[in-house]
Amino acid sequence: MDKRDAESVKQAIGCPMSRRKFLRCLAAAGALAAMPGGLLRSFDAKAGKIIYEGDYEIYRNACPRNCYDTCSIKSYVKDGVLQFIEGAKESTFTDGGLCVKGYAYTRRPYSPDRIKYPMIQDGRGSGNWRRISWDEAMDMIAKKLVEINDKDDSMLGLGLTKYSGNFGITNYAVEGMMTSLGYTTRLVGTPCWPAGIDAQNYDLGDMWCNDPEDMVNSRYIILWGANPAWNSVHTMKYIYAAQDRGAKVVCIDPVFTQTAAKADVYWQVDTSMDGALALGMARHILDKGLFDKAWVEENSVGFNEFADYLRNEITVQWASEKSGIPQQQIVEVAEEFAAAKPATIWIGYGLQRHVNGGATVRSIDALAAMTGNVGKTGGGARYGHMRTWGFNYHALLQKRPEGAKGFLGGKGPKGDFDFSGDEEAEYTDRALNINKTAEMLLTADDPPIRVLWISCKNVLSQDFDRPRMLEAFKKPELIVSVEQFFTQTVELSDIVLPVTTLFEESTINASYWHYWLSVNEQGIKPMYEAKSNTEIAAALSARMNKLKPGSCTFPTEVDTRQWMIKEFNQDIYDLFGIDSWQDLKKGPAKAKMHPASWHDLEFGTPSKKYEFRSDLCAQHGHQALPKFKAARKPYDKLRLLTPHTKFGIHSQFINIDWMEEFNKKPYCYLHPTAASERGITDGDQVRVFNKVGEVELEVKLTQNVPADVVMMYEAWFRNNAYNCQNVVDDTSSDMGKYKTGAPGVAIHDQFADVEKV
Ligand code: SF4
């Protein structure tokens, strides 16, 4: 960065948007009120007058952080410095507004805490970091990679763990880099949503949800294990609009959330008993003859068997006893749901994080299907979709080096989200379960993971069984983290490479929820010495080829904008009704898709119908029918829940200084009854402990959580040792392997106790 740039940045950090002004502007724009799910408005009030003064270069960006909303962003740059951003008005979904996290984005590239240069730590975990040049960093890494290839006669000793820190499509260059080095070890699967993906694939043949904007057409909305007032603020406006038009909103969640506060009916369901509740509702709908007979006859298989199961094994009384919801309420809501046309269910990502999570999602799908609400506008069992992700994956699809050897015995497809192997190749990558990373690192042998590469992921904050992970992190000979901040993962790495923010790179972003596509333009030069993941791959390739010609096929020079352009194809243009990617510079485009998933009633299952009975599911070792599956047996006195926080996404955002204004430190939440039984009062310092480990923090008493629950939010705080993964183990959920390569994690089937310290 030259002197003039540095001066401009310095000015930008203080002006025009200071921390106080940020808070004032949010208040003026109604965003503070909007955060829990109030109306979203663009900056057109007091703030607008301040921030629109002057001439700006305007760029298009997209929030890439694994949020439902994947907001389209307009960025305003002056003198090479990002001044402020706003939601793009062209997207009816983003509708000119961001969440409070989004409005703090300008602090991200200019954060004083940002990793500025490649650095090496003398002694893993010692804190003795020193700056090195990119050449030195690449040289050290490349020498190690050549060494392990010479030693093992393959690159399987190189392991990659990557997830959702940046979902920009060109970030698949990380996987492309691995491929271009040979056959490597990949931590595969997803910690997020796998059990539900498999469940929807068994029932419907794919995961595909209605357009969220279509929720406005719903006459009845069940928000089941979803908290959009915090996690998808832009969808709330459609829920409110539906309510305004007379729709009833039911929220089902063990925790009384801010979404629950906006609902017409709230059910505090007993944790992991959602499947029982869905089946109890289904039984009542069946008994009353309220199911859609014509729909199930024409469009489904196995309904009669499902009906027999309900009649023989399920009663409303049983469902009530299991779920804690009174029988009369189950009956009322079941009847209303069946009668309202169309009715929809939003299946939140909390539901499938249980040992019976996949079975639960199948029971809820069945409820939507038997009432004829699948394939209808305003209807649907909404979970997510990947229908707008048909890119070229140019960054991902690199060639192996000549003569590369790999893992024998891993042939065959391992799921849609697993890029770890070529189906027909003699060799494959080695695929290990990402949700058991600690165990995999400790037990992988022949060869062991000698080098661990971490990208778009804060393993030590987000992965499970952290005490064991700390042990596992002692094992690799070299750990390389690609990061923007000194996370807990970087603290236990040997080399850290600074990576660009969304404003400093070019890419494209699609959503797994809405139907919009956004281009992400580079509007500012990379700060300090940051490089994009694509550029890092190129730099490593250059060094590898210098050391050992032909050892890496990744191009040695790339232009991130050109690589972004390479991801487009005619199908994408046709789907989004654009002639060229350049059209996206005028604003995001919406896919020309019917708002109702499965509107043609051509399902992707083997029978091409909705499958109440899935033989494929049975072949995969599960129950063919959406039957109740038992919950995990408690191993401690309280249930432990670790949901998403309002002010962050996983471990992201809370470390940004402006966000710290809202969320200065972590707390655990306890019901007053549970607290008094333990002699705990509000504000006490407590220890949350179980067989996995412990966490010490301040307690807040609240009736929003059930009396048998202790709750903490998953998050990473700057300068704070808090880590909820100290008390979360890596027990698998029931499904996920079919489509993602590995089962999910029963994140919400955890137990613990609390005591005052
Ligand atoms: S975190 Fe979500 S709601 Fe906030 S700006 Fe990003 S995509 Fe939008």
Side-chain angles (χ1 to χ4, degrees):
M1 201 168 45
D2 63 30
K3 212 173 155 193
R4 190 172 161 275
D5 287 344
E7 194 49 41
S8 301
V9 168
K10 209 168 141 194
Q11 284 174 13
I13 290 170
C15 174
M17 186 75 95
S18 68
R19 181 190 302 217
R20 278 175 69 193
K21 196 181 283 183
F22 168 69
L23 295 170
R24 222 172 50 228
C25 290
L26 284 175
L32 282 175
M35 283 178 314
L39 290 173
L40 282 162
R41 299 189 201 106
S42 60
F43 282 102
D44 58 359
K46 201 171 161 188
K49 284 179 193 157
I50 300 164
I51 61 179
Y52 281 106
E53 286 168 3
D55 297 323
Y56 300 98
E57 293 167 42
I58 299 172
Y59 294 91
R60 296 285 177 176
N61 292 99
C63 181
R65 317 231 92 83
N66 191 5
C67 171
Y68 276 106
D69 291 9
T70 312
C71 287
S72 298
I73 296 173
K74 244 170 132 177
S75 308
Y76 294 77
V77 173
K78 189 191 275 183
D79 297 332
V81 176
L82 178 67
Q83 304 286 337
F84 61 91
I85 64 172
E86 63 179 0
K89 293 187 181 76
E90 296 84 355
S91 160
T92 46
F93 185 81
T94 302
D95 197 24
L98 302 173
C99 73
V100 68
K101 305 181 285 287
Y103 284 125
Y105 250 134
T106 50
R107 298 301 288 177
R108 201 171 178 100
Y110 305 124
S111 168
D113 296 332
R114 196 157 165 199
I115 295 167
K116 301 174 179 65
Y117 322 102
M119 298 187 85
I120 187 166
Q121 185 169 210
D122 295 322
R124 193 176 298 165
S126 68
N128 294 326
W129 289 95
R130 62 188 161 85
R131 179 180 175 179
I132 53 175
S133 68
W134 272 101
D135 277 352
E136 285 174 287
M138 290 296 115
D139 197 48
M140 285 176 200
I141 298 166
K143 278 183 177 150
K144 190 72 192 172
L145 296 182
V146 170
E147 179 195 309
I148 66 172
N149 199 24
D150 289 346
K151 192 185 286 180
D152 300 330
D153 198 25
S154 82
M155 290 302 291
L156 291 173
L158 170 60
L160 168 67
T161 184
K162 171 178 178 263
Y163 198 55
S164 65
N166 188 334
F167 269 162
I169 299 300
T170 53
N171 277 284
Y172 286 106
V174 182
E175 285 87 345
M177 175 182 77
M178 292 288 143
T179 305
S180 66
L181 286 163
Y183 293 96
T184 59
T185 296
R186 311 289 180 87
L187 277 304
V188 305
T190 115
C192 185
W193 53 349
I197 292 176
D198 276 12
Q200 291 227 311
N201 270 275
Y202 294 133
D203 295 336
L204 300 141
D206 195 5
M207 170 184 70
W208 181 14
C209 60
N210 283 30
D211 180 353
E213 298 179 49
D214 152 74
M215 216 179 272
V216 72
N217 297 312
S218 304
R219 304 292 302 156
Y220 207 91
I221 299 173
I222 299 184
L223 304 171
W224 208 321
N227 184 11
W230 281 16
N231 303 322
S232 182
V233 291
H234 295 79
T235 309
M236 287 303 290
K237 60 182 172 289
Y238 305 109
I239 295 170
Y240 292 149
Q243 264 179 324
D244 287 347
R245 293 163 68 165
K248 191 161 186 176
V249 175
V250 177
C251 180
I252 305 175
D253 198 308
V255 179
F256 183 76
T257 62
Q258 285 186 287
T259 303
K262 304 286 180 184
D264 301 293
V265 174
Y266 167 61
W267 281 352
Q268 190 163 54
V269 62
D270 284 354
T271 307
S272 78
M273 287 299 146
D274 307 84
L277 188 52
L279 292 169
M281 289 170 70
R283 169 69 199 262
H284 185 70
I285 289 167
L286 180 72
D287 285 353
K288 289 283 169 185
L290 296 172
F291 62 99
D292 191 328
K293 196 162 178 288
W295 194 96
V296 297
E297 275 177 6
E298 281 167 38
N299 302 304
S300 75
V301 295
F303 181 73
N304 289 340
E305 290 160 71
F306 179 54
D308 285 345
Y309 163 70
L310 292 175
R311 285 190 197 100
N312 294 333
E313 297 185 40
I314 302 295
T315 64
V316 173
Q317 184 185 346
W318 169 86
S320 172
E321 286 163 5
K322 287 274 180 199
S323 66
I325 306 302
Q327 285 188 58
Q328 188 52 35
Q329 289 186 31
I330 295 175
V331 163
E332 276 171 23
V333 167
E335 289 181 10
E336 287 173 2
F337 179 77
K341 304 280 182 201
T344 191
I345 305 174
W346 182 345
I347 302 171
Y349 298 143
L351 272 177
Q352 43 85 30
R353 295 173 175 180
H354 295 271
V355 298
N356 59 4
T360 295
V361 172
R362 290 201 68 207
S363 305
I364 296 173
D365 284 348
L367 202 52
M370 72 187 287
T371 50
N373 279 304
V374 171
K376 305 252 171 74
T377 54
R382 299 162 191 252
Y383 189 68
H385 78 92
M386 301 293 284
R387 294 270 163 151
T388 52
W389 289 66
F391 304 99
N392 290 337
Y393 295 98
H394 167 80
L396 169 79
L397 299 172
Q398 302 296 312
K399 283 197 179 75
R400 314 269 176 190
E402 196 82 14
K405 291 184 187 161
F407 186 59
L408 285 167
K411 288 183 186 176
K414 290 184 288 294
D416 292 358
F417 294 79
D418 170 17
F419 302 108
S420 62
D422 304 334
E423 201 174 330
E424 301 300 331
E426 184 184 358
Y427 296 110
T428 67
D429 294 310
R430 176 170 54 176
L432 303 178
N433 183 348
I434 198 170
N435 294 323
K436 292 189 181 288
T437 297
E439 184 189 330
M440 298 294 117
L441 289 178
L442 286 167
T443 58
D445 216 344
D446 198 23
I449 307 290
R450 300 184 192 281
V451 176
L452 181 63
W453 189 286
I454 304 163
S455 188
C456 304
K457 196 165 196 286
N458 185 356
V459 180
L460 261 302
S461 169
Q462 294 307 121
D463 281 1
F464 319 100
D465 198 348
R466 186 165 178 270
R468 206 161 176 222
M469 191 71 80
L470 291 171
E471 282 306 306
F473 260 56
K474 292 177 185 162
K475 205 174 168 203
E477 293 155 31
L478 178 68
I479 299 178
V480 179
S481 275
V482 179
E483 251 299 352
Q484 290 167 359
F485 298 103
F486 273 95
T487 63
Q488 293 181 353
T489 305
V490 173
E491 285 171 10
L492 287 185
S493 302
D494 302 300
I495 291 176
V496 63
L497 305 174
V499 71
T500 42
T501 65
L502 66 151
F503 306 107
E504 301 159 307
E505 63 184 27
S506 300
T507 192
I508 338 159
N509 293 83
S511 164
Y512 53 78
W513 182 240
H514 60 68
Y515 287 8
W516 289 85
L517 177 69
S518 303
V519 69
N520 185 85
E521 298 181 285
Q522 181 182 343
I524 57 172
K525 282 195 241 169
M527 289 293 290
Y528 310 104
E529 293 188 7
K531 289 183 191 291
S532 69
N533 273 312
T534 322
E535 292 166 331
I536 292 170
L540 183 63
S541 183
R543 185 55 62 162
M544 287 294 294
N545 280 294
K546 198 168 170 194
L547 274 179
K548 191 175 175 183
S551 59
C552 184
T553 64
F554 205 92
T556 53
E557 282 187 16
V558 295
D559 173 332
T560 61
R561 186 168 172 275
Q562 289 305 319
W563 273 54
M564 183 267 292
I565 295 169
K566 285 172 198 277
E567 297 293 357
F568 287 88
N569 56 49
Q570 194 57 46
D571 287 345
I572 286 282
Y573 293 150
D574 292 346
L575 180 63
F576 288 95
I578 52 177
D579 296 323
S580 150
W581 71 271
Q582 308 242 27
D583 290 351
L584 295 172
K585 292 169 77 169
K586 291 180 232 145
K590 188 173 184 183
K592 310 286 172 210
M593 298 200 312
H594 196 287
S597 55
W598 310 112
H599 55 93
D600 57 4
L601 299 170
E602 286 283 317
F603 294 97
T605 54
S607 65
K608 305 283 177 228
K609 298 197 172 218
Y610 182 93
E611 296 198 355
F612 287 99
R613 186 201 66 244
S614 166
D615 295 334
L616 186 62
C617 191
Q619 280 166 28
H620 290 175
H622 313 295
Q623 301 170 111
L625 293 171
K627 291 185 178 178
F628 178 72
K629 187 169 170 25
R632 188 178 185 189
K633 214 166 154 228
Y635 59 80
D636 218 320
K637 295 193 178 75
L638 296 170
R639 283 196 157 271
L640 169 68
L641 299 179
T642 54
H644 290 181
T645 172
K646 174 161 51 171
F647 299 115
I649 296 177
H650 303 298
S651 67
Q652 305 179 103
F653 282 115
I654 294 171
N655 65 307
I656 303 296
D657 54 2
W658 286 356
M659 294 310 299
E660 287 176 323
E661 289 287 333
F662 298 103
N663 200 20
K664 292 186 196 304
K665 64 175 194 176
Y667 298 94
C668 77
Y669 299 83
L670 205 56
H671 191 278
T673 306
S676 82
E677 285 167 6
R678 291 163 175 78
I680 293 169
T681 53
D682 194 59
D684 281 348
Q685 196 69 12
V686 298
R687 190 170 81 97
V688 179
F689 59 99
N690 62 13
K691 63 179 185 177
V692 184
E694 63 179 64
V695 182
E696 221 180 275
L697 73 178
E698 190 177 322
V699 68
K700 277 184 191 277
L701 304 192
T702 173
Q703 296 194 358
N704 290 348
V705 298
D708 66 341
V709 162
V710 53
M711 184 178 76
M712 300 184 285
Y713 292 111
E714 55 151 359
W716 169 61
F717 291 80
R718 187 172 67 117
N719 299 329
N720 191 314
Y722 169 75
N723 198 313
C724 71
Q725 311 301 348
N726 274 335
V727 282
V728 175
D729 72 14
D730 62 1
T731 295
S732 298
S733 53
D734 51 349
M735 294 181 193
K737 197 168 190 323
Y738 169 38
K739 282 291 170 182
T740 72
V745 188
I747 299 169
H748 297 318
D749 276 340
Q750 307 290 329
F751 302 88
D753 204 351
V754 185
E755 68 179 13
K756 193 170 167 176
V757 293

